[in-house]
């Protein structure tokens, strides 16, 4: 039993590479480095935190089966982890989730249930299903164990880069990735480095909370970046914003800009990513970094940028072509 537990506690995420992007560096005149978490086995950074949380629960004997509500990437990570560890898993999807995502989850051995139009409604069903003894509810973003796991991407990057970056770029939906990045940066001594937190209009729960000074709920998710689609952001994300160590700069872009970034990234690096990830890439492709410098919100001495390429699990060539036509990209 001891050896089995030890085996199960081996990390299930991989150490992803950091790539210096020649096209993006040429475009900006900066050294743009990409942390390629789209290469994780289930397709996104989510495996870092979710596998960490499930493994911790198994080690303490508090997990016999897994329940997760997700529009895609969190569910993929939970299903993948559960399959690797040999435990049952049920994923509750909002009705807006693409059919091919549900098929992928079933392929990984997960039971799939469809309930509600948004993540927050699907979450209620998952919580009810997980209320039986031995059930572990795995949230998509709002849990310290998730943030602790996500922090590993910064720990890796700090070893992989020859010098610390001048700015870190990420997208933010519910805030789990952002929280993990903040904790990782504090852990490696990067608290002096600003973070640019990118969102799409219609999935801008973080920006809305900043403006209100408190957590507020969006009336609906209208962005195509469904992986960012939480009606509210984590309270910890707003807390980190107010602490400003590191400083977090919120930016909201349009769906068209996100899609345009996905298309340009595919052309530059032959990699498909979803609009949630395109939001991060917009910091480069939409010249947001240079604009923030001109506005005095970023220092003029920015030379090195680290962009978290969070994932591409919820994308297909057909979807990309459809968005290109819809937005005239």
């Amino acid at each position: 039993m001891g050896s089995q537990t030890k085996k199960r506690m081996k990390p299930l995420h991989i150490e992803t590479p950091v790539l210096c992007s020649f096209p993006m560096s040429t475009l900006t005149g900066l050294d743009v480095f990409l942390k390629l978490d789209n290469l994780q086995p289930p397709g996104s950074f989510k495996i870092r935190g979710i596998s960490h949380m499930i493994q911790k629960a198994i080690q303490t004997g508090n997990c016999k089966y897994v329940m997760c509500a997700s529009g895609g990437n969190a569910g993929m990570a939970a299903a993948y982890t559960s399959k690797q560890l040999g435990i049952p898993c049920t994923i509750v999807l909002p009705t807006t989730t693409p059919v091919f995502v549900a098929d992928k989850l079933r392929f990984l051995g997960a039971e799939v249930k469809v309930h509600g139009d948004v993540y927050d409604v699907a979450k209620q069903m998952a919580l009810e299903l997980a209320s039986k003894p031995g059930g572990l509810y795995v949230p998509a973003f709002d849990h310290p164990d998730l943030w602790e796991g996500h922090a590993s991407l910064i720990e890796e990057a700090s070893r992989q880069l020859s010098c610390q970056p001048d700015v870190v770029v990420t997208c933010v939906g519910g805030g789990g990735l952002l929280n993990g990045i903040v904790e990782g940066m504090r852990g490696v001594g990067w608290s002096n480095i600003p973070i640019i937190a990118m969102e799409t209009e219609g999935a801008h729960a973080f920006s809305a909370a900043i403006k209100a000074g408190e957590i507020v709920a969006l009336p609906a998710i209208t962005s195509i970046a469904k992986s960012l689609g939480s009606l509210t952001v984590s309270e910890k994300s707003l807390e980190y914003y107010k602490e400003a160590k590191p400083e977090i700069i919120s930016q909201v872009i349009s769906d068209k800009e996100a899609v345009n970034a996905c298309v340009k990234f595919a052309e530059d690096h032959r990699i498909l990513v979803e609009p949630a990830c395109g939001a991060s890439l917009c910091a480069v492709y939409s010249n947001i970094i240079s604009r923030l410098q001109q506005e005095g919100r970023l220092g003029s001495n920015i030379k090195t940028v680290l962009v978290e390429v969070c994932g591409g699990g919820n994308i297909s060539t057909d979807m990309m072509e459809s968005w290109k036509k819809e937005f005239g990209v």
Side-chain angles (χ1 to χ4, degrees):
M1 182 68 178
S3 62
Q4 184 180 20
T5 302
K6 184 177 180 181
K7 181 179 179 182
R8 287 187 171 187
M9 290 307 296
K10 181 180 179 181
L12 295 179
H13 70 268
I14 64 170
E15 180 168 316
T16 55
V18 167
L19 170 73
C20 184
S21 169
F22 178 74
M24 298 172 81
S25 297
T26 301
L27 176 66
T28 60
L30 307 171
D31 290 328
V32 179
F33 290 91
L34 307 171
K35 182 61 172 166
L36 296 175
D37 270 318
N38 59 298
L39 299 181
Q40 291 291 350
S44 85
F45 78 95
K46 292 279 190 180
I47 186 65
R48 294 180 181 273
I50 286 177
S51 64
H52 181 67
M53 180 179 183
I54 293 173
Q55 287 176 313
K56 282 186 72 172
I58 288 175
Q59 191 177 40
T60 56
N62 294 325
C63 178
K64 302 300 182 185
Y65 64 93
V66 167
M67 296 290 173
C68 179
S70 168
N73 286 321
M76 291 293 291
Y80 175 85
T81 299
S82 299
K83 183 176 180 63
Q84 296 299 308
L85 300 177
I87 57 176
C89 177
T90 299
I91 309 296
V92 184
L93 301 177
T95 57
T96 53
T97 307
V99 173
F100 78 88
V101 174
D103 291 340
K104 283 184 178 181
L105 291 167
R106 293 189 182 97
F107 179 75
L108 287 173
E111 180 183 3
V112 175
K113 295 182 181 293
V114 179
H115 179 74
D117 294 333
V118 294
Y119 163 77
D120 299 76
V121 178
K123 172 183 173 181
Q124 293 305 312
M125 172 177 274
L127 282 167
E128 292 174 11
L129 293 172
S131 62
K132 299 177 183 178
L136 176 69
Y137 170 68
V138 176
F141 59 85
D142 204 3
H143 195 283
D145 287 345
L146 300 180
W147 314 332
E148 186 176 61
H150 297 331
S152 61
L153 74 91
I154 294 295
E155 295 164 7
E156 291 173 10
S158 70
R159 299 192 306 269
Q160 294 166 320
L161 291 168
S162 59
C163 63
Q164 70 178 33
D166 297 311
V167 64
V168 174
V169 180
T170 185
C171 61
V172 55
L177 176 58
L178 175 63
N179 296 350
I181 286 176
V182 169
E183 293 183 7
M185 290 174 67
R186 290 180 175 183
V188 301
W190 286 6
S191 293
N192 61 315
I193 301 171
I195 299 171
I196 302 177
M198 305 292 299
E199 298 172 282
T200 51
E201 184 68 38
H204 56 289
F206 184 50
S207 173
I210 290 171
K211 290 178 180 177
E214 60 183 5
I215 302 300
V216 294
L218 298 178
I221 300 300
T222 56
S223 171
I224 62 168
K226 300 305 180 186
S227 294
L228 301 181
S230 174
L231 296 177
T232 59
V233 74
S234 161
E235 289 186 9
K236 179 61 73 172
S237 299
L238 184 60
E239 179 183 322
Y240 281 151
Y241 172 82
K242 291 178 178 179
E243 290 176 1
K245 293 181 181 180
E247 177 188 8
I248 302 172
I249 303 171
S250 171
Q251 294 289 287
V252 179
I253 48 94
S254 67
D255 279 350
K256 182 175 181 177
E257 287 177 287
V259 170
N260 181 61
C262 292
V263 172
K264 287 186 175 181
F265 190 66
E267 293 172 347
D268 285 344
H269 294 288
R270 302 153 312 277
I271 295 173
L272 281 182
V273 294
E274 58 194 83
C277 188
S280 297
L281 298 170
C282 270
V284 173
Y285 287 122
S286 294
N287 297 314
I288 286 172
I289 294 173
S290 61
R291 177 172 58 77
L292 289 173
Q293 287 180 295
Q294 292 168 7
E295 294 173 354
R297 300 181 65 187
L298 270 181
S300 59
N301 59 343
I302 299 292
K303 294 187 175 79
T304 305
V305 182
L306 177 63
V307 181
E308 163 66 2
V309 182
C310 58
N314 289 345
I315 184 66
S316 67
T317 52
D318 287 344
M319 292 171 71
M320 181 75 85
E321 288 302 316
S322 173
W323 289 330
K324 284 172 66 176
K325 292 178 182 177
E326 179 180 353
F327 295 103
V329 174

